[in-house]
Amino acid sequence: MKNYFKIGPGAFVAAAFIGPGTITVCSLAGVRFGYELLWALVFSILATVILQGMSARFGIVSRKDLVEAFPVILPNKALLYLATLFVILAIVIGNSAYEAGNIGGASLGFSLIVDSIYVDFFGFSINYIALLIGLLSYLVLSTSNYKKIEKILVILVALMSLSFLTTALITKPDLNQLFGGFVPSLSTENLLSVMAIVGTTIVPYNLFLHAAVVQEKWKNASAMKECQQDTMLAIGLGGLVSMSVLITAAAIPQSEMKNIVDLAETLVPLYGSLAKYLLAFGFFAAGITSTITAAMAAAYVLKSSFKALGHTHKKAYAITWKIVILIGVIFASFSLKPIHLIEVAQVCNAILLPFIAIFLLWIVNSTKIMGIYKNSKLQNIAGIIVVFLCFLLSASLIYKLI
C-alpha cells in the first residue's frame, strides 16, 4: 500500500500540466458554467493517462526518448531533419515563450500576499519576484540530481493539491449540483471551454518529458507495474487539482474574471482571507513547478534531437534549460508579452499533438521495439479514441488562432 501511493516521475507530468494556464482555464469554466464541465476534466484526465502511460512504457522498454525513435519510421534524411526541426520549434522555442507565462503566473500568486511585486530600477519597473523564481528554478535544476528534483516536485505538487482542495472544501459546494457536473453536456456555448480544458491537460511536451524521466527512475521493464501506478496516481492527483479549482470558481457569483487575483478577491468577502492565501500559494506553486518542467522538457528534446540526427552535444541539456529560464525571466521581469512567439508555438503544438499521438500509438504496437509490452486491443481502442480527440482539438485550436 505504501508503494502504491508513492509518486515518482508522474509528478513531472502533474507539475507540468497544472500550471497558470490550466488554473485560469478551470477558473473561467467554473465562473461561466458552474459545475457543468467537471465531466470534461474527467475525460481529459483519462485521455492524458492513456497517452502518458504509452509514453512512459515506451521510455522504460526502449531506453530511448521519443525524438530518438524518429529514425525508426523516418529513414529519409530530409524528412527526419524536417520532423526534428518542427519538434524543436514547437517544444524548445515554444516552451521558451510559455516560460514567461509560467514565471508571471507564479508572480501573480505572490502578488496576492504582498503590496507590490515591482521595484523601480533606473527608470524601469522590474518584477523582482520573477527574478527570484528564475533563481529558485535555476538552483533546483542545477543540482543535476534527478532524485532531488523529483522530491522537490512531489512536495510542491502535494502542497499545491492540498491548497486547492482545501479551498474547494471551504466553499461547501452543493453535492447534488456537483455530481450533476459529471454528466456529459456539450453545447455551442461551452464547446470552446471544453476544448480549452482538454488542451491544457493533454500537453505535447509532457509526452517527450515522461519518456525521458522514467529512464532516470527505472532501469528495466520489471518496474512496469510501478510505473503504471505512478502515472495514474500523479495524473489523477493533477486532475483533482483542476477539479478543485473549477469547484472553487463555481462557488462565486457569475462575474467577469480575468485571472486568479480576481477569483481570490471575490472569495475573501464570502469565505474569508484563508481562501485567498490558499489560492495564492497554490497558484505560486503551479507557476514554479511548470517553470521547472517546461525548461526540463525543452532540454530533453534538444538533447534527444542531436542524438536522433547522429550528433552528440554533452552540454546541450544544461545550456537549453538555462536559456529557457533566462528568456522567461527577462520577459516576465519587464512584463513583456511574447505574443507572436506564443501564437506560433500554439499553432505548432496544435499540429504536433495528433501526429505525435499517432507516432506514439504506432511505436507501442511494434513487437520489435516493445516485445511483450506492446499495446493490447483494449489499449489500442482507447488510443484511437484519444488520437481522434487530438485531431479535433488541434483543428479547433488552429481555427480559433487563424
Side-chain angles (χ1 to χ4, degrees):
M1 186 65 71
K2 181 181 177 181
N3 289 331
Y4 190 87
F5 287 101
K6 186 176 180 181
I7 302 178
F12 288 81
V13 178
F17 80 76
I18 301 298
T22 299
I23 292 171
T24 301
V25 164
C26 291
S27 297
L28 290 170
V31 168
R32 292 171 182 169
F33 303 104
Y35 307 115
E36 187 180 318
L37 299 184
L38 282 170
W39 69 268
L41 276 171
V42 174
F43 186 75
S44 60
I45 288 299
L46 289 174
T48 303
V49 167
I50 291 167
L51 285 183
Q52 295 296 157
M54 291 181 189
S55 176
R57 185 153 37 96
F58 166 76
I60 291 179
V61 174
S62 70
R63 313 306 299 171
K64 294 180 182 292
D65 299 351
L66 282 179
V67 184
E68 290 179 74
F70 279 8
V72 177
I73 61 169
L74 295 171
N76 182 285
K77 282 287 184 182
L79 287 175
L80 176 60
Y81 272 88
L82 185 63
T84 306
L85 180 63
F86 191 81
V87 169
I88 291 173
L89 180 64
I91 306 299
V92 180
I93 305 300
N95 282 16
S96 298
Y98 294 144
E99 199 73 329
N102 292 329
I103 296 174
S107 301
L108 202 60
F110 213 85
S111 72
L112 288 166
I113 56 176
V114 296
D115 293 332
S116 175
I117 59 174
Y118 292 96
V119 294
D120 291 327
F121 188 76
F122 290 104
F124 292 98
S125 183
I126 299 176
N127 181 344
Y128 71 93
I129 299 298
L131 297 173
L132 293 176
I133 291 167
L135 177 61
L136 182 58
S137 301
Y138 176 88
L139 292 174
V140 171
L141 289 175
S142 63
T143 63
S144 298
N145 187 313
Y146 166 80
K147 289 184 178 179
K148 287 183 179 179
I149 297 172
E150 182 189 274
K151 286 179 180 178
I152 291 170
L153 289 178
V154 167
I155 291 170
L156 284 172
V157 168
L159 291 174
M160 176 173 59
S161 304
L162 184 62
S163 173
F164 284 120
L165 182 59
T166 304
T167 310
L169 292 174
I170 287 174
T171 65
K172 298 179 181 178
D174 183 300
L175 294 182
N176 287 329
Q177 291 183 17
L178 188 149
F179 288 122
F182 292 105
V183 179
S185 173
L186 194 62
S187 65
T188 53
E189 288 78 19
N190 66 25
L191 178 61
L192 284 179
S193 292
V194 170
M195 299 308 286
I197 286 172
V198 178
T200 58
T201 307
I202 305 175
V203 184
Y205 80 72
N206 267 347
L207 297 173
F208 294 89
L209 179 62
H210 207 179
V213 294
V214 291
Q215 297 176 51
E216 302 280 357
K217 177 76 172 183
W218 296 297
K219 302 305 178 185
N220 55 65
S222 62
M224 193 63 69
K225 185 177 180 180
E226 187 179 349
C227 175
Q228 292 171 342
Q229 292 172 349
D230 170 65
T231 300
M232 288 188 289
L233 177 60
I235 296 175
L237 189 61
L240 185 62
V241 170
S242 297
M243 289 181 197
S244 298
V245 173
L246 188 149
I247 290 167
T248 300
I252 70 173
Q254 297 292 308
S255 62
E256 288 296 321
M257 193 199 80
K258 294 181 180 178
N259 54 46
I260 198 74
V261 173
D262 295 336
L263 175 61
E265 296 298 345
T266 306
L267 286 173
V268 171
L270 297 173
Y271 305 104
S273 297
L274 179 60
K276 174 182 175 179
Y277 292 124
L278 286 170
L279 277 179
F281 175 78
F283 204 64
F284 173 77
I288 199 166
T289 53
S290 291
T291 298
I292 293 169
T293 50
M296 283 185 71
Y300 273 121
V301 164
L302 194 63
K303 184 183 74 170
S304 301
S305 296
F306 279 118
K307 286 185 179 180
L309 299 176
H311 305 291
T312 55
H313 198 305
K314 294 181 179 179
K315 296 184 178 180
Y317 179 83
I319 291 173
T320 304
W321 69 252
K322 289 174 184 176
I323 291 175
V324 170
I325 289 177
L326 179 61
I327 291 173
V329 168
I330 291 172
F331 277 100
S333 297
F334 294 96
S335 298
L336 302 173
K337 296 182 179 179
I339 296 173
H340 295 301
L341 272 179
I342 290 174
E343 286 179 342
V344 170
Q346 285 179 325
V347 170
C348 289
N349 274 317
I351 296 171
L352 180 66
L353 179 57
F355 288 102
I356 288 298
I358 290 172
F359 168 70
L360 186 58
L361 194 59
W362 185 86
I363 58 176
V364 292
N365 272 287
S366 170
T367 304
K368 182 180 179 181
I369 297 173
M370 301 299 294
I372 62 171
Y373 296 100
K374 71 175 185 177
N375 264 14
S376 64
K377 288 182 179 179
L378 183 60
Q379 287 171 324
N380 279 330
I381 292 171
I384 290 169
I385 292 172
V386 173
V387 166
F388 180 69
L389 167 69
C390 290
F391 267 109
L392 288 180
L393 173 64
S394 297
S396 67
L397 287 175
I398 293 170
Y399 176 78
K400 181 181 177 182
L401 289 167
I402 292 176

